[in-house]
């Protein structure tokens, strides 16, 4: 196999499985061009009905061996829809499918059986947990492709990822397919991850456990884009659908990181009127959200918007009038759904609106500060969110590289080591987000500012924050943890890490057992 | 020129101006197929700015001789944006443009000068008033094409109408192009007519008189689909923006028609729980809305949705709990905007969601009753809404044929004659909606049920409503008005009336002066 080095120094195959790869060339090297994909021209006449069983929907959709099916992951680790659909497809006897979910969770472990029996031979989507582990050990016949949230919408719109049939869970829908995620017992919030699927898939099936009289309104996905409606007993386990961390960390280490991050923003000059930010779901993120709110009240600062995934802590800041818009791609806890249902300035953001690089301007471009996580960072400020240091592919990409590239200040807020394994490394195992898009690494043992940000280094010269070089930070951590072991990898490339513009930023190799 | 007879007996050119025409073959003869158009793959990088003058937006967009520009008509007869933009284009010296507005109004009369000076040589869009009259007398060099609301969205999506640059008025927008019609001094409600333009045009310019801090939320059109933002003094005359009839008719004739229509629905069995309807903006429509509400309260009936254009009378029924959803493509009076801004079940309907035949099911398909107007009807129940009996093209199509085709019961509610000219004719001057989609004609002098609706005729056998055959109705009217004069037409075809599926249902010929 022929390889070429990309802009973050990783070797990328020139061609693999018949696909010519474009090596990553820099976060903003791509300039678009050409035209997007074209959806089918359909007709549904008055009186035509859409209600059917999951089995009938598969048969009527014309699903055949070798095709691509998709799902959204708003039901997270509580999802029943992926497993029940693939089970049914397997019973019908269809094989060699590409599975293109926006993400998979531990609850999708049963899919491993369908990989073994040849129903699924390729995955284009993020993997969290057991399926990722199985793929890491070489279990998937064909290559996996992981994309960012914005990158997945881009790939669908550009035609890189053609979906034959999308099966989209809705917590409420009518018999014509108008569907939302805010009503019903399985309410999960926005349906933003499934929006591009609905717009571009040849066939779209809505799967719901709450059939309401026509019209289901408001809807995220309109009947105009739905072929079939399937009613099932339960689309998921309500207890696990909204499964993000909902409590602020009590760990003194993590609280310290949150405190440092908030102070860093304050001193860097971004925390002023019109301020906007995005955080993740973890305990540090929630602590940061809370601390920022306290500072804003104290200093009389009025922000503009919070970009979600949203927690109840974010909604609280909105309710207090500290921010006048909530942008919402997914909810991290149940408390957010009520606000999403009722507040007119709590706005759903389909992934293109959120983060599609091939658009005329997505909203991450207008974000001030992004608080982001990592499994590893390295001295070039490259970030890994996909693999652990042993090489196992255990996490999806999420919107990480999208936010990092778009926002004015991207902060990686992480503990300096986990289970005696250092997080700050010479080279990350996998590059998910390029160092050029990362502004600072905030750990409990020191804060490293990217040398590219001369302005920031200058501005924080007199800060009492523990600002150090990334090399010094790495040394400090290694003094505690020792030098880390390299992962034991085989040659075979088992997954591509696609950057938001469709170029390949890294590959993931098979892990030795 | 070679002609072929279509399914409503009209002679349609086989080919005209290099376009091969598909003759209308029946309301549901078309079965779709093929793929839609593809928008450009754009990139807007962080920091890139969009604010510019109208002149700069024209230049930056790359607008050239022979291209197509579009506008929406939400500002109706109060619009300033079309004239100011075309004036600027004329000053720059660009010629031979196709103008593709969703509709033109009397305020757009100055465009006639730009037709004379060669800036505009073709119009694809509805024309209300003076521009239509000018075109009728042969003033436009190339052929005009008129489409239904749903048909225009279809044409844009299918690629029949490619828009190079869309100039879209917004009553509020931010500097990134997030835009709505509900905020600001020139608020006009939904931006539904411009949605397909924003999704498919190569370049999109938002023109606003209310620039708000980022983010403008909620927005109908997102920054992801906007290239440039232009701030002007005024986008329109607030007094004339929302210019629909806002008062119920006091004419005894028209009140009688409304009463007959309401009774007809009641007796036909459609007025029951789950009932839905759509009306226009005129005095009869408002009276029907009010009367229906009274009957529903009296009989304890709960409807499902009202499909807009909406009046304050419709909002009142919603507020009283008689309907639980308002679907809104345009507002007919100012009172509706407040509800549109605040009520979560007052839903904006882009034209595809409303009425695109090339979709997986638009909402007119689920409508019970449509109350529709006409300039003429004929004994085959064909309806004309475009031309007057003298042949002059003075009105746009609107959603008329869309609603007529989709709804379960389409009623034409019209006076039997106007200014001594009979409305019920042997043959309509122009066929806009085919008779097969029209269920009954309700006039003050009798109600004619389409013979195709045997079920309805049967059901209303014992009604005390003045039900007559269409021929008898025609005779009754002609006894008062006398036999009408035929229009004096030349051979030249000056406009095509396109049915919602893209076939040609009729042509309009030049009128002798």
């Amino acid at each position: 196999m022929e390889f070429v080095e990309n802009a973050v120094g990783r070797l990328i195959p020139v061609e693999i499985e018949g696909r010519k790869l474009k090596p990553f060339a820099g976060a903003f090297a791509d300039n678009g061009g050409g035209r997007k994909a074209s959806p089918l021209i359909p007709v549904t006449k008055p009186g035509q009905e859409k209600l059917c069983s999951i089995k009938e929907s598969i048969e009527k959709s014309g699903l055949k061996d070798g095709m691509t099916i998709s799902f959204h992951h708003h039901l997270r680790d509580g999802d029943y829809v992926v497993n029940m659909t693939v089970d049914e497809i397997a019973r019908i006897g269809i094989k060699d499918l590409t599975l293109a979910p926006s993400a998979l969770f531990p609850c999708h472990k049963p899919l491993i059986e369908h990989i073994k029996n040849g129903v699924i031979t390729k995955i284009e989507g993020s993997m969290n947990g057991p399926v990722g582990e199985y793929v890491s050990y070489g279990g998937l016949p064909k290559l996996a492709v992981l994309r960012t949230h914005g990158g997945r919408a881009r790939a669908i719109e550009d035609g890189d990822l053609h979906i034959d049939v999308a099966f989209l869970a809705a917590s409420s829908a009518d018999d014509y397919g108008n569907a939302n995620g805010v009503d019903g017992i399985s309410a999960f919030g926005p349906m933003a991850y499934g929006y591009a699927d609905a717009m571009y898939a040849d066939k779209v099936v809505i799967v719901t456990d709450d059939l309401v009289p026509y019209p289901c309104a408001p809807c995220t996905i309109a009947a105009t884009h739905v072929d079939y409606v399937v009613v099932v007993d339960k689309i998921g386990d309500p207890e696990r659908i909204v499964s993000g961390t909902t409590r602020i960390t009590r760990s003194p280490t993590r609280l310290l990181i949150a405190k440092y991050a908030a102070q860093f923003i304050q001193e860097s000059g971004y925390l002023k009127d019109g301020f906007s930010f995005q955080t993740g779901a973890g305990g540090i993120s929630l602590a940061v959200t809370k601390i920022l709110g306290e500072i804003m009240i104290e200093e009389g600062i009025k922000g503009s918007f919070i970009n979600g995934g949203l927690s109840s802590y974010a909604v609280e800041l909105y309710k207090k009038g500290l921010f006048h818009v909530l942008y919402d791609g997914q909810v991290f806890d149940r408390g957010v759904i009520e606000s999403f249902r009722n507040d007119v300035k709590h706005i759903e953001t389909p992934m293109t609106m959120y983060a599609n690089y091939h658009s005329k301007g997505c909203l991450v471009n207008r974000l001030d500060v992004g608080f982001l996580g990592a499994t590893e960072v390295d001295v070039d400020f490259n970030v890994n969110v996909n693999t652990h240091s042993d090489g196992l592919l255990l996490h999806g990409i999420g919107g990480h590289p999208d936010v990092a590239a778009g926002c004015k200040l991207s902060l990686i807020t992480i503990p300096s080591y986990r289970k005696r394994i250092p997080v700050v490394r010479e080279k990350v195992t996998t590059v998910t987000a390029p160092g050029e898009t990362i502004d600072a690494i905030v750990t409990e043992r020191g804060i490293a500012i990217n040398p590219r940000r001369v302005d920031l280094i200058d501005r924080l010269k007199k800060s009492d924050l523990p600002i150090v070089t990334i090399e010094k930070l790495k040394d400090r951590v290694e003094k505690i943890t020792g030098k880390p072991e390299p992962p034991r990898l085989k040659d075979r490339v088992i997954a591509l890490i696609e950057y938001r513009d469709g170029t390949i930023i890294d590959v993931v190799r098979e892990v030795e057992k």
Side-chain angles (χ1 to χ4, degrees), chain A:
Chain A
M1 196 179 277
E2 198 186 336
F3 290 84
V4 60
E5 193 179 315
N6 73 8
V8 286
R10 300 288 158 136
L11 292 176
I12 308 299
V14 171
E15 189 177 330
I16 192 163
E17 286 183 10
R19 175 181 166 191
K20 285 207 164 66
L21 302 183
K22 286 182 282 183
F24 173 74
F28 302 103
D30 176 89
N31 288 307
R35 290 194 173 265
K36 299 199 177 196
S38 309
L40 286 177
I41 295 179
V43 167
T44 294
K45 299 176 187 179
Q48 215 169 309
E49 291 184 4
K50 300 185 180 181
L51 278 175
C52 59
S53 69
I54 190 95
K55 188 181 174 202
E56 288 167 334
S57 78
I58 295 163
E59 290 168 344
K60 289 182 178 185
S61 73
L63 188 70
K64 286 187 188 65
D65 292 2
M67 285 187 169
T68 297
I69 57 174
S70 85
F71 302 87
H72 68 63
H73 74 277
H74 286 286
L75 297 165
R76 301 173 70 95
D77 200 30
D79 175 61
Y80 293 167
V81 173
V82 174
N83 292 339
M84 77 169 79
T85 305
V86 180
D87 283 352
E88 197 62 54
I89 288 169
R91 271 195 287 275
I92 292 172
I94 300 167
K95 301 260 179 186
D96 191 23
L97 294 180
T98 295
L99 180 70
S102 52
L104 295 175
F105 283 82
C107 65
H108 298 116
K109 193 175 173 187
L111 290 178
I112 292 171
E113 287 311 305
H114 293 304
I115 298 174
K116 287 182 181 163
N117 65 27
V119 175
I120 297 164
T121 52
K122 186 171 174 69
I123 294 175
E124 301 209 24
S126 279
M127 290 170 272
N128 297 288
V131 177
E133 188 179 352
Y134 183 78
V135 171
S136 294
Y137 288 125
L140 190 68
K142 299 180 193 168
L143 194 67
V145 181
L146 282 81
R147 297 187 172 95
T148 73
H149 286 333
R152 182 175 185 271
R154 182 208 59 72
I156 293 171
E157 293 191 4
D158 288 2
D160 295 353
L161 175 56
H162 175 79
I163 299 165
D164 294 291
V165 189
F167 298 89
L168 303 176
S171 70
S172 199
D174 60 40
D175 65 348
Y176 220 41
N178 294 301
N180 73 39
V182 295
D183 298 320
I185 46 159
S186 305
F188 52 79
M191 284 179 74
Y193 293 130
Y195 190 78
D197 306 52
M199 294 300 110
Y200 280 83
D202 284 352
K203 299 288 175 179
V204 175
V205 182
I206 291 290
V207 183
T208 190
D209 53 10
D210 182 49
L211 187 73
V212 297
Y214 184 92
C216 172
C219 65
T220 298
I221 291 166
T224 35
H225 290 83
V226 177
D227 294 275
Y228 309 107
V229 178
V230 171
V231 183
V232 297
D233 276 353
K234 297 278 278 177
I235 58 169
D237 175 355
E239 293 304 307
R240 290 155 73 213
I241 286 173
V242 183
S243 55
T245 312
T246 57
R247 244 178 276 160
I248 284 177
T249 182
R250 287 184 189 169
S251 141
T253 302
R254 284 161 189 263
L255 279 174
L256 186 64
I257 295 166
K259 205 183 130 273
Y260 281 166
Q263 188 179 338
F264 189 91
I265 290 159
Q266 219 179 346
E267 294 185 10
S268 63
Y270 288 103
L271 191 59
K272 60 187 180 195
D273 282 346
F275 174 67
S276 61
F277 77 99
Q278 169 167 358
T279 71
I284 296 178
S285 292
L286 301 182
V288 165
T289 304
K290 190 159 174 285
I291 297 169
L292 282 177
E294 288 162 1
I295 300 172
M296 289 173 75
I297 289 174
E298 209 177 287
E299 306 208 345
I301 295 164
K302 298 273 180 200
S304 63
F305 69 96
I306 305 177
N307 194 23
L310 292 178
S311 65
S312 287
Y313 291 95
V315 173
E316 213 180 295
L317 303 193
Y318 169 80
K319 296 281 188 191
K320 282 179 179 160
L322 295 175
F323 290 87
H324 69 94
V325 172
L326 294 176
Y327 276 133
D328 198 345
Q330 70 171 319
V331 306
F332 290 142
D333 66 73
R334 226 156 241 297
V336 184
I337 296 175
E338 189 66 23
S339 161
F340 179 55
R341 194 184 290 122
N342 299 319
D343 296 327
V344 293
K345 290 193 184 268
H346 185 155
I347 311 285
E348 179 157 359
T349 55
M351 291 302 105
T352 278
M353 184 175 175
Y354 168 51
N356 187 348
Y357 181 68
H358 280 172
S359 74
K360 293 172 178 177
C362 51
L363 72 87
V364 294
N365 284 2
R366 296 299 296 259
L367 197 58
D368 284 338
V369 180
F371 299 92
L372 300 163
T375 55
E376 302 174 328
V377 297
D378 70 22
V379 295
D380 296 319
F381 288 80
N382 294 320
V383 170
N384 176 12
V385 303
N386 294 116
T387 56
H388 282 203
S389 300
D390 57 10
L392 289 173
L393 178 60
L394 296 177
H395 305 282
I397 298 180
H400 191 300
D402 298 314
V403 173
C407 74
K408 294 194 181 72
L409 179 70
S410 60
L411 297 184
I412 308 297
T413 51
I414 40 167
S416 62
Y417 62 92
R418 294 184 183 103
K419 295 181 189 166
R420 311 301 292 179
I421 296 165
V423 165
V424 188
R425 316 285 296 235
E426 184 62 34
K427 293 272 174 215
V428 288
T429 306
T430 304
V431 183
T432 312
E436 64 173 302
T437 65
I438 306 298
D439 295 309
I441 316 285
V442 181
T443 77
E444 82 288 0
R445 276 193 166 67
I447 299 170
I449 302 175
N450 191 324
R452 287 177 189 84
R453 290 299 302 267
V454 180
D455 61 322
L456 267 184
I457 293 169
D458 199 51
R459 184 147 194 151
L460 278 102
K461 228 176 348 202
K462 290 180 183 162
S463 173
D464 62 1
L465 285 166
I467 293 168
V468 293
T469 63
I470 186 80
E471 290 80 7
K472 186 166 275 180
L473 183 56
K474 180 173 85 73
D475 291 345
R476 275 187 194 171
V477 181
E478 282 182 0
K479 266 185 195 137
I480 302 163
T481 61
K483 286 261 181 200
E485 287 294 311
R488 297 189 308 156
L489 304 176
K490 299 188 183 180
D491 276 348
R492 185 186 164 211
V493 172
I494 53 102
L496 302 176
I497 306 296
E498 207 181 271
Y499 195 62
R500 56 201 304 251
D501 60 2
T503 61
I504 307 302
I505 193 160
D506 209 346
V507 298
V508 182
R509 288 172 194 273
E510 188 175 332
V511 176
E512 277 187 26
K513 278 231 175 164

